[in-house]
């Protein structure tokens, strides 16, 4: 694979680390993907912001599924703070809301979901945010 060849030349190639990490997620190799994405995050200061956001979002998603909500929150907030905004913004916010729900912080989840609806109504993720918000409101 081109990513592996690139990593043989430069083990800190953030683009190759991200690409191979995505590939491993697609093939259910989550532990190895986590390691590669963590390395991509450490080495991606010069990469385009969307790539940097995606690395953090994927890494946060893996942490979320492992029940490491604090780490997931930190990664998502780090990604959301990167500027300029990108197409990953509403998805990262949605994942953050899901983290808050699992963590029992439903008020914060509602706030984030409403922010998705207010700021990204035309995003494909807006419908999921709306449905999740309705489900949360039904739990009151």
């Amino acid at each position: 694979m081109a990513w592996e060849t690139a990593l043989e030349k430069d083990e800190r190639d953030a683009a190759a680390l991200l690409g191979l990490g995505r590939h491993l997620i697609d093939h259910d190799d989550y532990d190895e993907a986590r390691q590669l994405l963590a390395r991509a995050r450490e080495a991606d200061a010069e990469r385009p912001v969307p790539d940097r956001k995606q690395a953090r979002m994927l890494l946060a998603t893996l942490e979320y599924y492992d029940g490491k909500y604090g780490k997931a929150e930190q990664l998502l907030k780090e990604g959301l703070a990167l500027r300029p905004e990108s197409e990953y913004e509403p998805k990262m916010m949605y994942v953050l809301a899901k983290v808050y729900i699992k963590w029992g912080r439903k008020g914060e989840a509602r706030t984030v979901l409403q922010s998705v609806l207010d700021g990204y109504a035309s995003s494909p993720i807006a419908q999921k945010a709306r449905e999740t918000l309705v489900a949360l409101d039904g739990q009151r």
Side-chain angles (χ1 to χ4, degrees):
M1 285 182 156
W3 296 310
E4 291 169 331
T5 302
L7 290 173
E8 286 173 9
K9 293 178 185 176
D10 178 7
E11 66 184 25
R12 293 184 47 85
D13 183 326
L17 290 164
L18 175 59
L20 189 53
R22 277 191 316 248
H23 174 78
L24 291 174
I25 287 173
D26 290 343
H27 289 86
D28 300 331
D29 189 348
Y30 304 121
D31 291 333
E32 184 70 20
R34 178 182 289 105
Q35 293 173 24
L36 292 170
L37 292 168
R39 287 174 49 203
R41 176 178 165 245
E42 292 171 7
D44 70 1
E46 302 300 316
R47 296 291 307 150
V49 169
D51 287 358
R52 297 177 72 202
K53 286 180 178 283
Q54 185 182 37
R56 284 149 184 81
M57 182 181 69
L58 292 172
L59 193 52
T61 301
L62 292 172
E63 298 296 352
Y64 163 78
Y65 282 116
D66 277 352
K68 298 176 183 171
Y69 306 131
K71 182 68 174 172
E73 177 191 37
Q74 178 216 342
L75 289 162
L76 290 163
K77 286 185 171 184
E78 180 181 305
L80 288 165
L82 296 171
R83 292 292 175 253
E85 288 190 10
S86 77
E87 70 273 13
Y88 291 106
E89 229 72 16
K91 177 68 173 171
M92 291 176 73
M93 292 170 72
Y94 180 74
V95 174
L96 181 59
K98 297 292 277 187
V99 167
Y100 286 150
I101 290 167
K102 283 287 194 179
W103 207 353
R105 294 167 61 181
K106 293 179 182 175
E108 289 167 277
R110 281 185 186 86
T111 300
V112 173
L113 291 167
Q114 190 60 55
S115 294
V116 171
L117 295 176
D118 293 344
Y120 305 95
S122 63
S123 165
I125 203 72
Q127 183 58 36
K128 284 179 132 179
R130 187 173 292 104
E131 291 166 2
T132 305
L133 190 56
V134 167
L136 268 179
D137 288 342
Q139 294 176 6
R140 286 186 177 181

